[in-house]
Amino acid sequence: MARARNDGKTIACIVGARPNFMKMAPLMRAFGAEPRLPAATLIHTGQHYDFAMSDALFRDLELPVPDLNLEVGSASHAVQTAEVMKRIEPVLDDLRPTCVVVVGDVNSTLAVALVAAKKGIPVVHVEAGLRSHDRTMPEEVNRVLTDQLSDLLYTTERGAADNLAREGVGGERVHFVGNVMIDSLLHHVSRAPSAADTLARAGALASVAQGPPGFGVVTLHRPSNVDNRAALAESLAILRDVSRRLPLVWPVHPRARAGIEGGGLGRLLEGAQITLLPPQGYLEMLGLLSAAKVVLTDSGGIQEETTALAVPCLTMRENTERPITIAEGTNLLVGRDRARIVAAVEDILASGGKRGRRPELWDGQAAPRIARHLASWLALRERQNAEAAA
Ligand code: UD1
């Protein structure tokens, strides 16, 4: 609990889970470089806490050590969300920040937005307006509610504003700025270790083909894919089939590992050309993704990263909240359609697969754009408040 400020002159920046860290890192840099903004206070809710899921990413992304860690840990959605709310409340009372900045769609994002909104602290949501239109996804609930609570909504693709307008969020609050996740990617990709180095360090180089046909990368962690035993078994069988054509490398998320071990499904992977790795660092992951022939995933962020890297992506979901990766990028929605997935992999191996382009404003400058806009917005707000008080 170091460096907490209580002079009412700070921006409270909130992170909780792995995909938040790559979004907040460029924001912290840009806020620090914008002289009109007050200093940032970085608060980690502790939703993710393992070294590989948290500290390793802080190191890779050059994120400062958090000023506070609320240490909420894992629990049911209700308990985790409630714990964040309980623990952030006294912190916000003490800090009295000029605004709270939340990113993405994890439980910590919604929990902090809800507490701040009820205290009258402006909520700034980065990566607003994405919609899968699937309310069975916990993240979709978090997105819809966080956006309703937010005073400033920064979007990554133009279509997000339409989603927000349909939900009654006024256009004056919405600003298209580009994608901070891609700021991180472009900032770090040249420092990524080669895939061969990462595989060698993991003792896996020998099991992944050197030279043609190369390898594919897998990531799966959505509850709909890994908490349900039948769905997970189906996915494993598909990956097994794919691995006959292309060896696969799979850094396994703790939730997926629990699904495989708890469901007794490890035997489905026996004999398959699938190399399981522990969760990887951010730079290692960039190196693996850059070198992959194809990526099979259910992650939101990886759909964007593969589009930015021009690597074919097969998204093993029925929907995506990031439609621009399909309209303009390298992404294809394939669900758990085995024939479709195998055919898509064949096509990629034969012809390189779908070509894409990098979407508008995914140029590495989204965070500086946000910092400039936020500084002007806070200055205007301060003037208006002063006039109202006079
Ligand atoms: C969370 C986010 C999801 C995001 C994902 C990225 C929500 C609703 N979900 O899902 O949007 O894509 O993070 O990883 O916020 N665990 C560990 N070590 C950790 C953290 C978790 O072993 O450091 C295990 C625990 O058994 C825990 C499980 O993973 O119960 C799930 O963690 P949790 O934070 O609840 O959700 P994720 O599936 O990681």
Side-chain angles (χ1 to χ4, degrees):
M1 299 272 277
R3 299 200 333 254
R5 307 162 59 97
N6 62 0
D7 57 4
K9 284 279 178 208
T10 187
I11 300 178
C13 294
I14 312 299
V15 291
R18 186 167 66 173
N20 291 166
F21 307 143
M22 31 290 216
K23 295 167 195 166
M24 192 56 81
L27 289 169
M28 292 294 288
R29 267 197 303 281
F31 291 169
E34 171 51 66
R36 294 177 297 153
L37 284 176
T41 300
L42 183 60
I43 301 171
H44 190 339
T45 66
Q47 178 173 340
H48 282 177
Y49 44 84
D50 281 348
F51 181 80
M53 299 293 286
S54 183
D55 303 55
L57 287 120
F58 271 73
R59 180 199 59 200
D60 291 352
L61 291 157
E62 297 157 350
L63 261 169
V65 175
D67 298 281
L68 297 168
N69 190 321
L70 306 180
E71 297 179 352
V72 298
S74 300
S76 69
H77 285 273
V79 170
Q80 189 174 60
T81 307
E83 274 306 323
V84 174
M85 292 178 68
K86 271 167 65 181
R87 294 182 194 198
I88 196 70
E89 177 163 55
V91 173
L92 295 182
D93 285 343
D94 183 43
L95 280 178
R96 294 181 295 112
T98 47
C99 64
V100 161
V101 177
V102 294
V103 295
D105 54 18
V106 304
N107 287 344
S108 301
T109 307
L110 171 61
V112 175
L114 184 49
V115 175
K118 287 199 174 175
K119 288 184 179 298
I121 300 168
V123 176
V124 179
H125 186 204
V126 176
E127 198 191 84
L130 296 179
R131 295 291 180 271
S132 65
H133 306 291
D134 173 3
R135 294 274 174 112
T136 65
M137 280 181 86
E139 293 81 4
E140 183 76 352
V141 177
N142 294 341
R143 290 180 200 117
V144 169
L145 297 179
T146 302
D147 285 340
Q148 285 295 328
L149 296 167
S150 295
D151 297 270
L152 266 185
L153 299 94
Y154 291 118
T155 62
T156 55
E157 51 183 274
R158 288 195 183 274
D162 303 330
N163 294 332
L164 292 166
R166 271 194 296 276
E167 293 168 13
V169 178
E172 72 288 352
R173 288 194 272 155
V174 181
H175 303 276
F176 171 50
V177 290
N179 193 330
V180 290
M181 188 113 179
I182 304 308
D183 287 16
S184 266
L185 182 143
L186 296 176
H187 186 78
H188 289 287
V189 71
S190 63
R191 294 199 296 118
S194 72
D197 280 356
T198 298
L199 293 168
R201 256 198 305 280
L205 192 55
S207 47
V208 178
Q210 294 298 290
F215 64 91
V217 169
V218 177
T219 83
L220 288 180
H221 75 285
R222 295 261 155 245
S224 59
N225 273 333
V226 303
D227 288 2
N228 171 328
R229 189 175 183 278
L232 182 56
E234 216 180 302
S235 298
L236 296 181
I238 292 170
L239 296 176
R240 224 188 130 86
D241 280 359
V242 170
S243 81
R244 294 206 177 93
R245 287 292 285 115
L246 183 68
L248 296 175
V249 176
W250 181 1
V252 185
H253 184 281
R255 185 185 278 279
R257 185 167 294 281
I260 295 170
E261 288 170 4
L265 297 175
R267 65 191 160 71
L268 293 178
L269 294 172
E270 280 165 20
Q273 285 201 81
I274 304 177
T275 303
L276 303 186
L277 301 178
Q280 292 296 298
Y282 179 66
L283 298 174
E284 285 74 14
M285 203 60 199
L286 286 185
L288 289 172
L289 294 175
S290 305
K293 283 280 178 283
V294 58
V295 176
L296 294 117
T297 191
D298 60 6
S299 153
I302 289 178
Q303 294 173 54
E304 297 182 339
E305 289 166 341
T306 46
T307 274
L309 291 167
V311 171
C313 180
L314 302 179
T315 295
M316 295 178 68
R317 289 172 43 186
E318 302 301 328
N319 52 55
T320 178
E321 61 287 337
R322 290 159 162 93
I324 203 159
T325 61
I326 296 189
E328 298 187 15
T330 56
N331 192 16
L332 277 179
L333 272 187
V334 293
R336 279 193 300 277
D337 182 335
R338 183 191 300 231
R340 177 127 199 258
I341 293 171
V342 171
V345 171
E346 294 287 355
D347 175 51
I348 289 161
L349 291 177
S351 71
K354 190 179 169 198
R355 308 264 184 269
R357 63 183 152 106
R358 195 178 291 168
E360 184 183 4
L361 296 190
W362 290 23
D363 59 358
Q365 295 302 315
R369 260 177 227 118
I370 290 172
R372 283 195 297 275
H373 181 272
L374 181 59
S376 302
W377 188 85
L378 288 173
L380 177 65
R381 198 167 182 276
E382 202 169 320
R383 271 202 306 279
Q384 286 169 342
N385 286 346
E387 278 164 24

Short mmCIF file of all heavy atoms in Angstrom, two decimals, residues 17-19 47-50 53 74-75 77 80 105-107 138-139 142 221-222 253-255, ligand 1:
data_model
loop_
_atom_site.label_atom_id
_atom_site.label_comp_id
_atom_site.label_asym_id
_atom_site.label_seq_id
_atom_site.Cartn_x
_atom_site.Cartn_y
_atom_site.Cartn_z
N ALA A 17 -7.03 -8.08 -14.40
CA ALA A 17 -6.75 -9.39 -15.00
C ALA A 17 -5.84 -9.22 -16.22
O ALA A 17 -5.71 -8.11 -16.77
CB ALA A 17 -8.06 -10.06 -15.40
N ARG A 18 -5.27 -10.33 -16.64
CA ARG A 18 -4.21 -10.30 -17.65
C ARG A 18 -4.47 -9.36 -18.83
O ARG A 18 -3.59 -8.57 -19.17
CB ARG A 18 -3.94 -11.74 -18.11
CG ARG A 18 -2.77 -11.87 -19.03
CD ARG A 18 -2.33 -13.31 -19.21
NE ARG A 18 -3.32 -14.12 -19.89
CZ ARG A 18 -3.11 -15.39 -20.29
NH1 ARG A 18 -1.95 -15.97 -20.03
NH2 ARG A 18 -4.05 -16.08 -20.90
N PRO A 19 -5.64 -9.44 -19.49
CA PRO A 19 -5.78 -8.58 -20.67
C PRO A 19 -5.86 -7.10 -20.35
O PRO A 19 -5.77 -6.28 -21.27
CB PRO A 19 -7.09 -9.07 -21.31
CG PRO A 19 -7.82 -9.78 -20.22
CD PRO A 19 -6.80 -10.32 -19.27
N GLN A 47 -7.34 -9.51 -9.13
CA GLN A 47 -8.16 -10.59 -9.72
C GLN A 47 -7.27 -11.69 -10.27
O GLN A 47 -7.53 -12.88 -10.07
CB GLN A 47 -9.06 -10.01 -10.83
CG GLN A 47 -9.91 -11.08 -11.53
CD GLN A 47 -10.92 -10.50 -12.52
OE1 GLN A 47 -11.27 -9.34 -12.46
NE2 GLN A 47 -11.39 -11.35 -13.42
N HIS A 48 -6.22 -11.32 -10.99
CA HIS A 48 -5.18 -12.29 -11.38
C HIS A 48 -3.96 -12.04 -10.50
O HIS A 48 -3.61 -10.90 -10.21
CB HIS A 48 -4.83 -12.15 -12.86
CG HIS A 48 -5.85 -12.79 -13.77
ND1 HIS A 48 -5.79 -12.75 -15.12
CD2 HIS A 48 -6.97 -13.51 -13.48
CE1 HIS A 48 -6.82 -13.41 -15.66
NE2 HIS A 48 -7.56 -13.87 -14.67
N TYR A 49 -3.34 -13.12 -10.05
CA TYR A 49 -2.34 -13.01 -8.99
C TYR A 49 -1.14 -13.93 -9.20
O TYR A 49 -0.09 -13.71 -8.63
CB TYR A 49 -2.98 -13.35 -7.64
CG TYR A 49 -3.86 -14.58 -7.75
CD1 TYR A 49 -3.34 -15.85 -7.65
CD2 TYR A 49 -5.22 -14.46 -8.05
CE1 TYR A 49 -4.15 -16.97 -7.83
CE2 TYR A 49 -6.03 -15.57 -8.23
CZ TYR A 49 -5.48 -16.83 -8.12
OH TYR A 49 -6.26 -17.93 -8.32
N ASP A 50 -1.27 -14.99 -10.02
CA ASP A 50 -0.11 -15.87 -10.25
C ASP A 50 1.00 -15.08 -10.93
O ASP A 50 0.71 -14.18 -11.73
CB ASP A 50 -0.48 -17.03 -11.19
CG ASP A 50 -1.24 -18.13 -10.46
OD1 ASP A 50 -1.26 -18.11 -9.21
OD2 ASP A 50 -1.80 -19.00 -11.15
N MET A 53 0.50 -14.94 -14.60
CA MET A 53 -0.70 -14.23 -15.06
C MET A 53 -0.64 -12.74 -14.75
O MET A 53 -1.46 -11.97 -15.24
CB MET A 53 -1.95 -14.81 -14.38
CG MET A 53 -2.22 -16.28 -14.67
SD MET A 53 -2.64 -16.57 -16.38
CE MET A 53 -4.30 -15.93 -16.47
N SER A 74 -9.34 -15.14 -6.66
CA SER A 74 -10.40 -15.82 -7.41
C SER A 74 -11.59 -16.12 -6.53
O SER A 74 -11.44 -16.36 -5.33
CB SER A 74 -9.87 -17.15 -7.96
OG SER A 74 -8.79 -16.95 -8.81
N ALA A 75 -12.77 -16.09 -7.13
CA ALA A 75 -14.01 -16.45 -6.43
C ALA A 75 -15.12 -16.49 -7.48
O ALA A 75 -14.86 -16.25 -8.66
CB ALA A 75 -14.34 -15.41 -5.35
N HIS A 77 -18.36 -15.08 -9.56
CA HIS A 77 -18.52 -13.73 -10.10
C HIS A 77 -19.03 -12.77 -9.04
O HIS A 77 -18.53 -11.66 -8.89
CB HIS A 77 -19.48 -13.75 -11.30
CG HIS A 77 -18.83 -14.31 -12.52
ND1 HIS A 77 -18.11 -13.55 -13.40
CD2 HIS A 77 -18.77 -15.58 -12.99
CE1 HIS A 77 -17.64 -14.32 -14.36
NE2 HIS A 77 -18.03 -15.56 -14.13
N GLN A 80 -16.33 -12.18 -6.27
CA GLN A 80 -15.18 -11.43 -6.78
C GLN A 80 -15.56 -9.96 -7.04
O GLN A 80 -14.84 -9.04 -6.63
CB GLN A 80 -14.69 -12.08 -8.07
CG GLN A 80 -13.38 -11.54 -8.59
CD GLN A 80 -12.91 -12.34 -9.79
OE1 GLN A 80 -13.60 -12.38 -10.81
NE2 GLN A 80 -11.76 -12.97 -9.67
N ASP A 105 -13.19 -5.49 -20.09
CA ASP A 105 -14.51 -6.04 -19.75
C ASP A 105 -14.46 -7.09 -18.65
O ASP A 105 -15.33 -7.95 -18.57
CB ASP A 105 -15.12 -6.66 -21.02
CG ASP A 105 -14.19 -7.68 -21.66
OD1 ASP A 105 -13.26 -8.16 -20.98
OD2 ASP A 105 -14.39 -8.01 -22.84
N VAL A 106 -13.44 -7.05 -17.81
CA VAL A 106 -13.36 -8.09 -16.78
C VAL A 106 -14.17 -7.65 -15.55
O VAL A 106 -14.66 -6.53 -15.47
CB VAL A 106 -11.89 -8.42 -16.41
CG1 VAL A 106 -11.11 -8.85 -17.66
CG2 VAL A 106 -11.20 -7.27 -15.72
N ASN A 107 -14.32 -8.57 -14.59
CA ASN A 107 -15.14 -8.24 -13.42
C ASN A 107 -14.64 -7.00 -12.70
O ASN A 107 -15.43 -6.19 -12.19
CB ASN A 107 -15.17 -9.44 -12.46
CG ASN A 107 -16.04 -10.57 -12.99
OD1 ASN A 107 -16.86 -10.38 -13.90
ND2 ASN A 107 -15.88 -11.76 -12.43
N PRO A 138 -19.99 -13.58 -19.51
CA PRO A 138 -19.89 -12.63 -18.39
C PRO A 138 -19.32 -11.28 -18.84
O PRO A 138 -19.73 -10.23 -18.35
CB PRO A 138 -18.96 -13.32 -17.38
CG PRO A 138 -18.43 -14.55 -18.04
CD PRO A 138 -19.28 -14.85 -19.23
N GLU A 139 -18.40 -11.33 -19.80
CA GLU A 139 -17.79 -10.07 -20.25
C GLU A 139 -18.81 -9.16 -20.93
O GLU A 139 -18.68 -7.94 -20.87
CB GLU A 139 -16.65 -10.35 -21.24
CG GLU A 139 -15.45 -11.05 -20.64
CD GLU A 139 -15.62 -12.54 -20.50
OE1 GLU A 139 -16.67 -13.07 -20.95
OE2 GLU A 139 -14.71 -13.19 -19.95
N ASN A 142 -20.53 -7.27 -18.35
CA ASN A 142 -19.61 -6.25 -17.84
C ASN A 142 -19.50 -5.07 -18.81
O ASN A 142 -19.46 -3.91 -18.39
CB ASN A 142 -18.22 -6.84 -17.59
CG ASN A 142 -18.22 -7.87 -16.46
OD1 ASN A 142 -19.14 -7.91 -15.65
ND2 ASN A 142 -17.19 -8.71 -16.42
N HIS A 221 -9.79 -20.25 -23.25
CA HIS A 221 -10.04 -20.05 -21.82
C HIS A 221 -11.46 -19.61 -21.50
O HIS A 221 -11.82 -19.45 -20.34
CB HIS A 221 -9.06 -19.03 -21.24
CG HIS A 221 -9.38 -17.62 -21.62
ND1 HIS A 221 -9.13 -17.12 -22.88
CD2 HIS A 221 -9.97 -16.61 -20.94
CE1 HIS A 221 -9.53 -15.87 -22.94
NE2 HIS A 221 -10.05 -15.53 -21.77
N ARG A 222 -12.31 -19.38 -22.53
CA ARG A 222 -13.68 -18.93 -22.26
C ARG A 222 -14.44 -20.00 -21.50
O ARG A 222 -14.35 -21.19 -21.85
CB ARG A 222 -14.45 -18.68 -23.56
CG ARG A 222 -13.93 -17.60 -24.38
CD ARG A 222 -14.70 -16.30 -24.19
NE ARG A 222 -13.80 -15.24 -24.55
CZ ARG A 222 -13.32 -14.31 -23.71
NH1 ARG A 222 -13.74 -14.26 -22.47
NH2 ARG A 222 -12.46 -13.43 -24.11
N HIS A 253 -4.13 -21.69 -20.21
CA HIS A 253 -4.68 -20.81 -19.16
C HIS A 253 -5.09 -21.67 -17.97
O HIS A 253 -5.55 -22.81 -18.15
CB HIS A 253 -5.89 -20.10 -19.77
CG HIS A 253 -6.53 -19.07 -18.88
ND1 HIS A 253 -7.38 -19.40 -17.85
CD2 HIS A 253 -6.47 -17.71 -18.89
CE1 HIS A 253 -7.80 -18.29 -17.25
NE2 HIS A 253 -7.27 -17.25 -17.88
N PRO A 254 -4.97 -21.13 -16.74
CA PRO A 254 -5.34 -21.94 -15.55
C PRO A 254 -6.76 -22.50 -15.63
O PRO A 254 -7.03 -23.62 -15.18
CB PRO A 254 -5.22 -20.97 -14.38
CG PRO A 254 -4.37 -19.85 -14.85
CD PRO A 254 -4.43 -19.81 -16.35
N ARG A 255 -7.68 -21.73 -16.20
CA ARG A 255 -9.07 -22.21 -16.29
C ARG A 255 -9.16 -23.42 -17.22
O ARG A 255 -9.88 -24.39 -16.93
CB ARG A 255 -9.97 -21.08 -16.79
CG ARG A 255 -11.44 -21.42 -16.82
CD ARG A 255 -12.24 -20.30 -17.44
NE ARG A 255 -12.57 -19.21 -16.56
CZ ARG A 255 -13.59 -19.21 -15.69
NH1 ARG A 255 -14.36 -20.27 -15.56
NH2 ARG A 255 -13.83 -18.18 -14.94
C1 UD1 B 1 -10.79 -13.38 -16.71
C2 UD1 B 1 -11.83 -12.49 -17.38
C3 UD1 B 1 -11.80 -12.74 -18.88
C4 UD1 B 1 -10.42 -12.62 -19.45
C5 UD1 B 1 -9.50 -13.56 -18.69
C6 UD1 B 1 -8.10 -13.52 -19.18
C7 UD1 B 1 -13.85 -11.98 -16.09
C8 UD1 B 1 -15.31 -12.25 -15.99
N1 UD1 B 1 -13.17 -12.78 -16.92
O1 UD1 B 1 -11.21 -14.74 -16.91
O2 UD1 B 1 -12.62 -11.78 -19.51
O3 UD1 B 1 -10.45 -12.94 -20.81
O4 UD1 B 1 -9.54 -13.18 -17.30
O5 UD1 B 1 -7.29 -14.42 -18.49
O6 UD1 B 1 -13.37 -11.08 -15.46
N2 UD1 B 1 -6.56 -18.50 -11.75
C9 UD1 B 1 -5.28 -18.85 -11.42
N3 UD1 B 1 -4.36 -17.86 -11.29
C10 UD1 B 1 -4.65 -16.54 -11.48
C11 UD1 B 1 -5.98 -16.20 -11.81
C12 UD1 B 1 -6.91 -17.19 -11.94
O7 UD1 B 1 -4.96 -20.01 -11.25
O8 UD1 B 1 -3.76 -15.68 -11.36
C13 UD1 B 1 -7.54 -19.57 -11.91
C14 UD1 B 1 -8.46 -19.73 -10.71
O9 UD1 B 1 -8.73 -21.09 -10.55
C15 UD1 B 1 -9.71 -19.02 -11.13
C16 UD1 B 1 -9.73 -19.25 -12.63
O10 UD1 B 1 -8.36 -19.26 -13.03
O11 UD1 B 1 -10.84 -19.49 -10.48
C17 UD1 B 1 -10.47 -18.20 -13.39
O12 UD1 B 1 -9.97 -16.90 -13.07
P1 UD1 B 1 -10.94 -15.62 -13.17
O13 UD1 B 1 -10.18 -14.37 -12.88
O14 UD1 B 1 -12.17 -15.86 -12.37
O15 UD1 B 1 -11.40 -15.62 -14.67
P2 UD1 B 1 -10.62 -15.93 -16.03
O16 UD1 B 1 -11.14 -17.17 -16.61
O17 UD1 B 1 -9.14 -15.77 -15.89
#
